[in-house]
Amino acid sequence: MNTISNFIGGEFIKPLSGKYLDNYEPATGKIYSRVPDSDSHDVELAVQAARNAFPIWSGMSVEERSAIMLRIADLLTLHLERFATAETIDQGKPLWLSRAMDIPRAAQNFHFFGTEILHFASETHATNQHLNYTLRNPIGVVGCISPWNLPLYLFTWKIAPALATGNCVIAKPSELTPMTAFLLAELCQKAGMPAGVLNIVHGLGAKVGAAITEHPDIHAISFTGGTTTGENIARTAAPMFKKLSLELGGKNPNIVFDDCNLTEATLQSARAAFTNQGEICLCGSRIFVQQSIYEAFKKEFLSHVGKFTVGDPLELTSKQGALVSKAHYEKVLSYIEMAKQEGGTVLCGGKAVHPEGRCAAGWFIEPTVIEGLTHDCRVNQEEIFGPVATLIPFENEEEVLAMANSTNYGLAAVVWTENLSKAHRVAAKLQSGIVWINCWMVRDLRTPFGGVKHSGVGREGGFEALKFFTEPKNICLKL
Ligand code: NAD
């Protein structure tokens, strides 16, 4: 059995308590490794290591830091197969997806921020009498807390800009998916990252996550996860005046107008609803379809969904893998039951899947499409975060905007229409941090990424991330 270690001060070490948590393989439902059940004492050790390393790391030239980050990107690419397999076993997602998306994107995160830092400039504001210029200094020791749905992808999305800007990091991956962050530590060593610059403390949110949030020497927290957890973190961090970036839940609308390219809209809407078992914060789970094409859309959409084979994520024929945990699997099934009670009709799926062989006890659910629910019922208002999508008909723009904007969330939205004016008009009125028109999940890492309302505070990506991880200091000189 694999035993995961913390990575503190450049060394792999056991949790101080000696305690471990079981780590499950979602596809089999069996324990396959052990993850440290760390606590505030391990976080304290990590903070000491990070404080000691900060003068070394922040004192290095930008070019030296960049070179180390680019080496990590190269090493990740070199070891893609090992990391992709580890991610799939740990998370339950199909291997083809780990290979095509998760691990390449993790490498790209290091490459992107490792080069972006070379182009990061600060402002000057001059008058005839004075010259103002702004320095952007690293914050010091920062905390990065990430979720289980895109484990290495989101872990590196946080730590890469933090490191590029010269901070030392205390990072905590989800206790449900710790494996690839553990493997990454080895690559950081190989790439020549000084000891103590990146510290990875594994364990439960309520222990390790809370200890990171509460620590007085950690001055910024970058968090991605659920809205309730974000609220708890904000409650602790706000009175301590910590910088906070919160990327939280979503319940994203996917709006299909009758003048869309139906072939493309049906195909991409199916992808948007069910990629990664629907466990992506950007998934379009509420599909609003204009009444005049509702039946035609439904027929074509269901025919795409019908091809999404569920099975062993290590088999390349499986379009969809297992859900991350038993608790999450039960939560998703309970929402399908709720949908029936709320008057919904299950058009396809709706049940657990028990593949033959090694995955018989895994946590699989069929891709499920439901119609007949009102836009304001619980199933259409609460985040399910699984392979469940609903179809909701609408008559006109005004009506669909009101329904799309009716949830507490505001992360991402998709609009399908060939009418350019309508596309811009609707996009501008959607309460959402991100809107895709005639596409889904196209990510240019330079763009601001984040949500409005209960989907979060702050933006990641591009220079926004470098700004978050630095403190501006204005200096005014009399000429
Ligand atoms: P979660 O909030 O349960 O956990 C996220 C991380 O926070 C984990 O590492 C967890 O251990 C830690 N944590 C838990 N309690 C904590 C506490 N009290 N203090 C500090 N840390 C704590 O979320 P999850 O179930 O891992 O992820 C699913 C959620 O993440 C969904 O709501 C999804 O929409 C959201 N998400 C958002 C984005 C985005 O970019 N907006 C991206 C991916 C996932």
Side-chain angles (χ1 to χ4, degrees):
M1 169 131 9
N2 271 324
T3 297
I4 289 173
S5 309
N6 288 330
F7 182 63
I8 298 177
E11 289 181 26
F12 290 96
I13 58 173
K14 293 178 181 169
L16 294 173
S17 66
K19 290 187 195 155
Y20 288 86
L21 304 162
D22 292 331
N23 187 25
Y24 290 82
E25 178 179 3
T28 61
K30 294 194 179 116
I31 298 163
Y32 88 102
S33 82
R34 299 192 310 159
V35 56
D37 182 10
S38 313
D39 57 32
S40 59
H41 298 100
D42 303 277
V43 171
E44 184 58 46
L45 207 61
V47 173
Q48 290 310 326
R51 279 169 56 107
N52 292 341
F54 181 65
I56 301 165
W57 186 242
S58 58
M60 280 167 84
S61 72
V62 167
E63 287 77 11
E64 285 173 307
R65 287 204 301 266
S66 169
I68 292 172
M69 293 185 67
L70 297 187
R71 279 204 287 279
I72 298 171
D74 288 346
L75 285 167
L76 267 173
T77 307
L78 191 68
H79 295 285
L80 185 140
E81 201 49 38
R82 180 175 178 224
F83 275 78
T85 308
E87 198 72 297
T88 286
I89 292 172
D90 210 26
Q91 206 275 343
K93 67 177 68 211
L95 180 57
W96 61 264
L97 190 63
S98 301
R99 273 184 191 154
M101 179 180 77
D102 292 77
I103 309 307
R105 172 59 190 276
Q108 200 191 352
N109 287 337
F110 273 104
H111 192 273
F112 177 80
F113 288 110
T115 50
E116 191 187 42
I117 193 66
L118 302 173
H119 306 273
F120 192 35
S122 66
E123 306 89 16
T124 61
H125 301 87
T127 67
N128 288 341
Q129 293 83 35
H130 297 93
L131 174 68
N132 285 283
Y133 63 93
T134 307
L135 297 180
R136 285 210 162 259
N137 297 320
I139 293 169
V141 180
V142 300
C144 296
I145 303 174
S146 54
W148 49 256
N149 64 323
L150 303 171
L152 195 66
Y153 172 135
L154 288 175
F155 185 79
T156 53
W157 178 238
K158 298 193 169 301
I159 65 171
L163 294 168
T165 40
N167 298 286
C168 290
V169 177
I170 314 297
K172 192 198 101 56
S174 169
E175 60 275 26
L176 298 176
T177 53
M179 189 56 82
T180 47
F182 169 58
L183 298 177
L184 178 74
E186 203 183 302
L187 300 194
C188 292
Q189 266 185 335
K190 274 194 189 150
M193 182 171 278
V197 171
L198 172 64
N199 303 278
I200 304 174
V201 186
H202 294 275
L204 297 170
K207 283 168 142 183
V208 178
I212 292 173
T213 310
E214 286 162 11
H215 202 291
D217 292 336
I218 298 179
H219 300 297
I221 306 283
S222 174
F223 169 78
T224 297
T227 294
T228 308
T229 315
E231 187 185 326
N232 287 333
I233 290 175
R235 200 172 282 131
T236 305
M240 299 176 81
F241 308 107
K242 294 190 183 203
K243 257 184 136 174
L244 261 189
S245 167
L246 301 174
E247 299 293 340
L248 310 176
K251 186 75 180 174
N252 309 309
N254 181 351
I255 303 174
V256 186
F257 285 101
D258 61 5
D259 53 4
C260 70
N261 174 336
L262 194 63
T263 308
E264 193 62 9
T266 48
L267 184 68
Q268 297 303 331
S269 297
R271 216 184 117 237
F274 297 111
T275 299
N276 206 47
Q277 302 72 243
E279 295 168 332
I280 301 184
C281 55
L282 306 167
C283 277
S285 55
R286 293 182 296 150
I287 308 175
F288 296 97
V289 185
Q290 200 152 18
Q291 189 71 65
S292 49
I293 57 158
Y294 185 83
E295 290 304 325
F297 177 93
K298 182 164 102 181
K299 190 163 167 245
E300 226 175 291
F301 177 74
L302 289 176
S303 99
H304 292 306
V305 178
K307 293 179 199 139
F308 290 175
T309 340
V310 181
D312 187 342
L314 291 171
E315 297 289 338
L316 295 183
T317 45
S318 303
K319 184 88 180 157
Q320 224 179 263
L323 274 76
V324 73
S325 67
K326 185 159 190 280
H328 188 56
Y329 159 88
E330 283 167 357
K331 176 190 146 182
V332 173
L333 286 175
S334 79
Y335 270 101
I336 296 172
E337 281 314 304
M338 186 192 293
K340 292 179 197 160
Q341 282 157 23
E342 288 186 320
T345 304
V346 176
L347 297 174
C348 76
K351 295 188 295 296
V353 179
H354 302 287
E356 281 185 10
R358 76 171 203 109
C359 295
W363 304 311
F364 298 86
I365 297 179
E366 294 171 329
T368 300
V369 181
I370 301 166
E371 71 172 357
L373 292 169
T374 58
H375 76 278
D376 56 357
C377 69
R378 281 187 62 189
V379 169
N380 275 329
Q381 290 288 316
E382 297 173 15
E383 186 182 42
I384 301 174
F385 214 52
V388 180
T390 60
L391 297 182
I392 308 161
F394 71 90
E395 291 291 346
N396 56 44
E397 244 176 88
E398 197 183 326
E399 185 196 11
V400 76
L401 274 166
M403 292 195 288
N405 289 337
S406 69
T407 73
N408 283 332
Y409 296 107
L411 185 56
V414 188
V415 180
W416 296 95
T417 173
E418 295 292 295
N419 179 327
L420 198 59
S421 306
K422 189 195 293 177
H424 287 298
R425 199 167 53 234
V426 171
K429 289 183 184 161
L430 281 165
Q431 295 167 358
S432 181
I434 300 153
V435 181
W436 280 292
I437 299 171
N438 297 333
C439 56
W440 174 70
M441 213 174 155
V442 176
R443 293 285 295 113
D444 178 329
L445 304 191
R446 295 169 300 179
T447 59
F449 179 91
V452 299
K453 304 201 283 188
H454 291 198
S455 288
V457 180
R459 291 294 178 271
E460 296 184 319
F463 291 123
E464 299 275 348
L466 301 188
K467 284 184 180 165
F468 175 76
F469 284 113
T470 51
E471 231 14 301
K473 178 194 282 180
N474 190 71
I475 296 171
C476 179
L477 170 75
K478 186 173 186 308
L479 297 174

